[in-house]
Structures are given as C-alpha cells and as structure tokens.
Amino acid sequence: MTFVQRLGAAAGSIEGRLAELLAECGPDKGSRLAAAMRHALLGGGKRFRPFLVIESAALFGVEASAARDAAAAFECVHCYSLAHDDLPCMDNDDVRRGLPTVHKAFDEWTAILAGDALLTLAFEIVARPETHADPDVRATLAQVLAHAAGARGMVLGQMLDLEAEKRGEPQQWTVAHVRRLQALKTGALIAASCEAGAVLAKATADERAALRCYGDLLGLAFQIADDLLDAEGDPAAMGKAAGKDSAAGKATLVSLIGVAEARAQLAETVRRAEGELQRFGDKARTLVEAAAFAASRAH
Amino acid sequence: MTFVQRLGAAAGSIEGRLAELLAECGPDKGSRLAAAMRHALLGGGKRFRPFLVIESAALFGVEASAARDAAAAFECVHCYSLAHDDLPCMDNDDVRRGLPTVHKAFDEWTAILAGDALLTLAFEIVARPETHADPDVRATLAQVLAHAAGARGMVLGQMLDLEAEKRGEPQQWTVAHVRRLQALKTGALIAASCEAGAVLAKATADERAALRCYGDLLGLAFQIADDLLDAEGDPAAMGKAAGKDSAAGKATLVSLIGVAEARAQLAETVRRAEGELQRFGDKARTLVEAAAFAASRAH
C-alpha cells in the first residue's frame, strides 16, 4: 500500500467507527441534534489526526483496532472546533469540505450545541472502558486531549487569532507571534494525536516525548504548507476558499518571510520531524511519510 | 452550623479553588480569554452542584478537601452551559446573577470560546492525578460528567427546549415532555453531582445507584421549585427576570398542572428523595436538608 492508500483506508475505517460511536453514545438518531452532529462529524475529510493516533500507536505494536476509539475522539474534537470556528461571529465560513457549514445547514444555536456535544462526546469516548482496558491510559488520554483542546491550546489559538483580526492588528504581527498562534490553533491537537499513540501503547516517557516532538514539528509543517496553499494553492486542493487569510489582511508566515523562505523552512521542519523518528528505525516509515505528506500538499 | 451556613462555607471554598484551578490550568492571567473565563466562572452563585459532590462524598467519609477538585469540575460544566445558553441565538439573556452575561461583558465569540474552554477545563481537572489517586475513579468521573453534559443530557435538553421555542410549539407540550426536558437540561448534572460523590468514595454499586436516584429526585424538586418561582417568585430570589418562561409562552409544569398540584408534587418529590437516603441514617442529614432547601426556594 502507498501512503495515500493507507491514509484513505484509515479514513474509511474511522468514518465507520465515528458513525457507530455517534449511535452508541449520541442522541436519538432521528433528532435534529443527531443530524447536526453527523453533519459536523461525517462530512468526509482526511482524518489526519486519527490516522496519526493509529500510526503512532502502531509504532509500538498496537493494533489499529485497539487505537481506533481514541483516534475517533481526537477527530470529534477537531470537528467540534471547525463547527464553532466557522460560526458567523468567528471566521464566518459558509462552506467546509465542499458542503455547507453546520450553521448554514442548520442554524447558529444548533451549530454551537452540536459542537458542544461533540467536544463532550470526545471525553466520553476516551473515558469508556471500551477504549482501553487500563484506566490510567484513559485518564492520561483525557489529560492530553484536554490540554491540547483547551485554554492553553486550540481555544487560546482561536482566541488570539480572532482578537488580532477583530482589532485589525495582524499587520503588526511578528514571525514569533504567527508561529505561537499556529502552534496553539493547529499544532497542539496534531502533536497530541501523536503523543496519544504513545500513551495508548504505554510507551516510555522518552518515547512519548519523542512522539510529542515529532508531532510538534509535524504540526508546524502542516501549518507552513497551509500558508503556502493559501498564498498560491487552488481552492479545490484546500477544500475552502484560497487567499482567504491574505484577503482578510491576516499576517501569515508566507506574508512575513516570503514563499521561498517558507519553502526552505518547510523542508527543514520535515527533516527535523524525521530526525525525531530515527530511533524507531524502519517501523516509523509511515510517520516519516506523514511528515512528507503534510508538506507535499503545498506542491 | 445551619444548612445555609454549610452551603455558604462550601461555596466560599469552591470559589477559591476554582480561581486556583483557573490559574493552574487556564490561560495567561492577563489574557482576554482568562478574563472571560473568570467572569463566567467566578460570578458568585450558590455552587449547589459542587456542594452536592462534596456532601455526597462526605456521606462515605471522604474529606471535603479530597472532593473539592472533582466538585470544581462540575461547576465548570455548569458555568460553561450558562455562558452558551445565554447567547443571543439561544436564550438571549443580558443579566446573570446580577451581572452582565459573558457575551454582554465581552462579545459573542469570546463567550463561545470561554464556554468551550471551561467545558474542556472540567475534563482536564477530572483527569488530573491531583483530583484522585485512583485513575479508575478519574476515568469514571469523566464518564459520569460527560454523560450528564452531552448529547444524552444537558445539551440535548437545551436543544429540545430551543427547538420547541423557536418553532412556537411549547403550548402543545405535555407534562411528560416538560418532565423529560427538565430532567435532561437541569436534572442530569445535579444527579451526576450526587453520583460523583459515591464514585469518589469508591462506594458500592448499590450505594452509587441510591445516590443517583436521590440526585434525580433532587433535580426534579429543583426544577419544580424553579417553575413555581418563575410563576410567582420575585426576581431578586431568582437572580433573573421572573415570569420569563411564562412570558415566552413556554409550557412549564406550573402552567400545565397549576400551582397547587405543582406544590403537592414538589412535597412528594422531596419525600421520595429523602427516602433514598434512609439507608444512610443520620449521616445523610445534610443531603436531606439539601432536598428541603431546593424546594424551599419556592416559598
């Protein structure tokens, strides 16, 4: 299997498990809440975060089936954040993955509540005995997930992004500020997904730290590639309007350092991410390819 | 100490611990996100849910200090739900506990993100080793909390409430429908707070079920009292506008069965709640008084 085939197979498997978990732990199937949660959760997407959970766990010999529920929880958090970020009072996006955003397909209060329910569902899944036999693993997963999602992770990143945008300050941003914002908004959950694989496998503290470092670099590569796509890419490849950030006057890494330097930093970041995986040898091939894949979206 | 003194002392202690937890696990103190979270979380209030966690745990000999963090997590969930429910696209409330609601004091996107961060913080607190030495207890607490808060609990209750209101259907509601909605919207977290005390104490399944039943009945009493307050009470006692539900054309238990019958059901519910505690004898005095207190607000 090529990397893309492997990613696609994982996405299909995760999509199926998400639908099952929604039926097991979610609201009555016929309800408006269930429909909105399905819309937010099952609209396709690469399922890159759950893929990272599964492949990071696989590095230590954990079967994909034993990592799937934890992986699904990370996707629930990702999809909740998209539903809230798309709201009119935040990024005001009408289209996501080629479909109307949740508040467009339903309405604002439904999008907020469906997001709230997905965030809560993520923790319910992580805490269930079905997700892992060892309660210590489940409690640690909940900690890792909460830390990445909350007021020192994704939520703070979105807050800083909006604060600057609504105040019209982005032009004054520095590279350090853009980096920090991206690390919080996008990097935190990607890094936590990699760390979660090590937690699931009860890896050593050293191994867990290496996965975390790899995840941080992967998240950075992912975001530089996103900025390059936004500056040059076509909307079809992004699944959303290209040039949106630059049109909004948002400082991005590309607007601050230019395309050539961004490309150089992207290549260097991928190289460093691969470096973190060296200790795992050939077993880490898929994760090495994942870093290259995250970067390749910009080509 | 009288019951009200005991409740007040617990509220003070919880308020202090919430501020500490916000500093330990929350965003930088000077940030807008931190200010909004503090506004949502530290605006006073009875702290009835954390009180129930602490007193339910005390029933089994657990010290208040050993139950405080779990108790604080339940209050985080309660306060997040208020911040989101108050939003213009939901209940559209400007005042809460005599202060401007979060979106009035800040803005809508800040209120949504502060709520998201508080919900996430609740699970981070519950999952921390500081909250309980036994990871099985922490994972079970996360499950109990997620179940009460999510798509089969509070979020569903708010969804059903808004759905009927926005469609102008409340007049067609039956007593069974109002009961279900209230059980989800208010009862679920109150019942889970009582159950959490038993979980913290590693009580037997039987004891945990009794606490859960007591909590269900307590939640019901709480809500009937709220309906009576809304129909007859003064705004000062409620901390919000009286008559709001009836003015909105919302069917309440009182509008469906009348004041006299609601009072009779309230007394019967309190009696049954006390019955669930009989097995615990005199140790349960405070929880018996809590049921009477929940009801007494309507007098």
Side-chain angles (χ1 to χ4, degrees), chain A residues 22-28 31-33 36-37 80 84-85 87 89-90 108-110 112-114 116-117 119-121 123-124 127-130 134-140 142-143 145-147 149-152 155-156 158-160 162-163 166-167 180, chain B residues 22-28 31-33 36-37 80 84-85 87 89-90 108-110 112-114 116-117 119-121 123-124 127-130 134-140 142-143 145-147 149-152 155-156 158-160 162-163 166-167 180:
Chain A
L22 212 47
E24 276 175 47
C25 311
D28 296 343
S31 68
R32 182 181 179 85
L33 180 57
M37 289 173 77
Y80 122 78
H84 281 193
D85 288 357
L87 286 166
C89 68
M90 296 210 217
E108 284 181 51
W109 51 274
T110 303
I112 295 171
L113 290 172
D116 292 345
L119 175 57
T120 311
L121 178 63
F123 289 103
E124 184 161 358
R128 273 163 40 117
E130 291 86 342
D134 185 342
D136 201 9
V137 167
R138 304 201 301 273
T140 306
Q143 270 194 288
L145 187 55
H147 194 267
R152 293 185 174 184
V155 169
L156 181 59
Q158 173 68 356
M159 186 83 196
L160 295 175
L162 286 172
E163 248 183 295
K166 309 259 176 195
R167 288 187 191 157
R180 172 165 183 248
Chain B
L22 212 48
E24 277 175 45
C25 311
D28 295 343
S31 67
R32 182 180 180 85
L33 180 57
M37 289 174 77
Y80 122 78
H84 281 193
D85 289 358
L87 286 166
C89 67
M90 296 209 218
E108 284 181 49
W109 52 275
T110 303
I112 295 171
L113 290 172
D116 292 346
L119 175 58
T120 310
L121 177 64
F123 289 104
E124 183 161 1
R128 273 163 38 117
E130 291 85 343
D134 185 341
D136 200 10
V137 167
R138 304 202 300 273
T140 306
Q143 270 194 287
L145 188 55
H147 194 267
R152 292 184 174 184
V155 169
L156 181 59
Q158 174 67 355
M159 186 82 195
L160 294 176
L162 286 172
E163 249 183 294
K166 309 258 178 196
R167 287 188 189 155
R180 174 166 180 246

Side-chain angles (χ1 to χ4, degrees), chain B residues 87-294:
Chain B
L87 286 166
C89 67
M90 296 209 218
D91 299 345
N92 195 22
D93 277 311
D94 293 351
V95 178
R96 161 82 58 192
R97 295 169 182 162
L99 290 172
T101 46
V102 187
H103 66 272
K104 277 284 161 185
F106 296 84
D107 41 50
E108 284 181 49
W109 52 275
T110 303
I112 295 171
L113 290 172
D116 292 346
L118 285 174
L119 175 58
T120 310
L121 177 64
F123 289 104
E124 183 161 1
I125 292 170
V126 152
R128 273 163 38 117
E130 291 85 343
T131 296
H132 200 285
D134 185 341
D136 200 10
V137 167
R138 304 202 300 273
T140 306
L141 283 175
Q143 270 194 287
V144 168
L145 188 55
H147 194 267
R152 292 184 174 184
M154 275 168 53
V155 169
L156 181 59
Q158 174 67 355
M159 186 82 195
L160 294 176
D161 202 6
L162 286 172
E163 249 183 294
E165 193 183 323
K166 309 258 178 196
R167 287 188 189 155
E169 290 171 0
Q171 288 82 355
Q172 301 158 29
W173 287 6
T174 60
V175 171
H177 188 83
V178 170
R179 277 271 172 89
R180 174 166 180 246
L181 196 153
Q182 293 180 341
L184 292 166
K185 193 172 168 177
T186 312
L189 195 63
I190 288 178
S193 302
C194 300
E195 190 177 359
V199 171
L200 278 167
K202 302 197 202 183
T204 66
D206 259 17
E207 291 167 332
R208 181 172 158 188
L211 259 294
R212 173 87 212 179
C213 276
Y214 161 77
D216 281 330
L217 292 161
L218 180 65
L220 180 58
F222 194 89
Q223 195 59 57
I224 300 174
D226 241 20
D227 280 358
L228 282 162
L229 270 173
D230 189 72
E232 337 183 279
D234 66 305
M238 294 207 70
K240 58 182 180 184
K244 195 178 169 188
D245 287 350
S246 24
K250 267 195 196 176
T252 69
L253 204 63
V254 174
S255 73
L256 289 171
I257 62 174
V259 167
E261 177 59 21
R263 283 203 180 284
Q265 289 196 6
L266 178 56
E268 170 65 12
T269 304
V270 169
R271 203 192 54 73
R272 285 174 56 209
E274 290 172 6
E276 292 294 336
L277 298 173
Q278 250 175 1
R279 61 192 292 162
F280 302 109
D282 193 50
K283 282 182 296 172
R285 197 176 53 235
T286 304
L287 290 179
V288 167
E289 289 174 346
F293 169 78

